[in-house]
Amino acid sequence: MTSTRTVELEGHIIDSGMMQQAMGIVMDLGGDFDIEEFDVGRQKHNTSYCRMTVSADDDDIQEILHELNQIGANLTSTADAHVERAPADQVVPVGFYSTTNHPTDVRYDGEWIPVEDIEMDCAIVVEETDDGARAYTKVLNSIDEDDLVVTDDTGIRVKPPERPRDASGPFGFMQGGISSERPSESLIGDIADALKETKKEGGNVLVVAGPALIHSGGGDALARLIREGYVDMISAGNGFATHDIERGLYGTSLGMDMETMEHPRKGHKHHIYTISEVIRAGGIEEAVEEGLITEGIMYECVKNDASYVLAGSIRDDGPLPDTITDAIEAQNAIREQAHQADMVLMLSTLLHSVAVGNCLSSTTKTVCVDINPATVTQLLDRGSSQAIGMVTDIGTFVPTLAEKVLDEPDE
C-alpha cells in the first residue's frame, strides 16, 4: 500500500540547498512528491516556505520521513512524540530516535519542548518534573532502565541553522567551504573579531589542540591568549600537554630544540623525563605549585583557572597523571566542555577534532585549522556541518590570531 504524509520546509530553503536536498531524498528513496504550497522570499532577508506531500510504499515512507526530518523538513502533524520506557540500563527501545546536532524540539503532552544539550547520535529522554516536562539527550551507555525514550520521527521538529545569503551574520565571512587560496590575513582577522565578540558577550571559548601546535612554535601565542582571558577551556591529549611542559623544562618539543631546530643529545628522552617529573610532583597543578612548571600553556591554564581535559589513547607514553585513560570517562569530560562552548577553535588535530565535533551543537561557532584540508573534510563528513575550515600552517595561524586579538585596536 501507498502512504502519504505532508512536510513543511521553512527558511532560506532555496539558497541553502534544503529544497533540492528534500526533493533528492524523496526520489532517491523511491517516493513521489507534490508541492502544495511554495512561497518564495523575494528579498535577501526574506525566508521561503514550502508544503510538500510525500507518497511512498509503506515499507519506504518511514525512511523517507526520517531523512527529511534530519535536514529540517518536518511533518505538519501536531501529534505528540512517541515514547517508550527503556527496558534495561544502556538499552534503548527498538526504533528509538537518533538525534542530529541541530536544535530540536519534541512535542510532549501537547507542548513543544526544546531538547537540552543537543548533539548527534544520541537518544532523547523525556522527564516529568514538578515544573513540567523536560527533554534532553543521552548517549546510549548512559540510558537507565525506565527512562522515557523518544521513538520514530513523530512529534519531532528539527531546525538546522542557516548560512546567511550575504557576508553578514555569524561567520558569514567564511562562506565558501575549504580553501588554501583565500587571503589568510583577512580571514584570521575575521576569526579574531568573532573570538572577541564571543568573549564580549560572555561566551566560552574552547580550543582543541594537537601536539603540532607546540612543535610548530605556536605555544607561546596560545598561552598568551589563555593568560589574557580569551580561551576558557583546552581539550587535548597526553602528547600535547607533555610537549608543552617539555618545552618549558628542556627547551625542546619531542626532543627538538625549539630555537636551533637541532636534536640535542638525549633529547629523544626529554618527553619521558618530563612525564616522570610531573608524576613525581603528583600532577600538573601540583607541578605548577611547587615551581617545576613555570611557563607554557598548561601553566597558564592552572594559573588562570582555564579548565583542561586530556583524553588518553592506546599509544600514550606515561601517561601524565592528569590524562583520563578511561575512554567513557574521557568522552563524558569532553562532552561537558563541548556543551559549555560558544566558540571552538580546532587546531591541527584530526581525531580530537572529530571527537569534540561529535559533541557540539550545530549552532556552536566552529573553526578548524590544519595544513591538511582532509582534516576539515573528514570533520564535515562526520556531521559537523557548522565547521568552517582554514588550510594553513598552525605555527603561523596562532601567533597571527593572538596579535590581532591582543595587539590591534578594535575598529
Side-chain angles (χ1 to χ4, degrees), residues 5 21 26 73 94 101 125 154-155 165 173 179 230 324-325 361:
R5 299 287 188 275
Q21 278 184 283
V26 176
V94 174
N101 61 351
V125 172
T154 303
R165 289 183 174 180
F173 63 87
S179 173
Y230 284 93
I324 304 172
T325 56
S361 163

Side-chain angles (χ1 to χ4, degrees), residues 370-410:
D370 203 293
I371 197 67
N372 184 359
T375 298
V376 190
T377 300
Q378 186 162 340
L379 184 67
L380 294 172
D381 288 345
R382 284 287 298 127
S384 299
S385 57
Q386 82 279 13
I388 46 182
M390 184 171 181
V391 180
T392 190
D393 173 41
I394 201 67
T396 300
F397 173 83
V398 180
T400 306
L401 178 67
E403 179 183 338
K404 289 185 176 296
V405 169
L406 300 171
D407 298 334
E408 293 187 3
D410 294 336

Side-chain angles (χ1 to χ4, degrees), residues 228-286:
E228 298 298 330
Y230 284 93
V231 173
D232 305 280
M233 301 174 283
I234 295 286
S235 183
N238 181 71
F240 173 84
T242 297
H243 298 309
D244 170 64
I245 299 170
E246 174 194 343
R247 180 175 181 270
L249 295 181
Y250 299 100
T252 60
S253 176
L254 201 60
M256 182 184 71
D257 189 295
M258 295 297 293
E259 298 296 330
T260 66
M261 302 301 166
E262 297 176 350
H263 290 269
R265 187 170 177 270
K266 293 187 177 182
H268 63 286
K269 298 183 178 182
H270 287 172
H271 76 284
I272 203 70
Y273 291 163
T274 296
I275 293 170
S276 175
E277 291 304 308
V278 176
I279 291 174
R280 196 186 323 278
I284 294 173
E285 185 174 351
E286 291 83 356

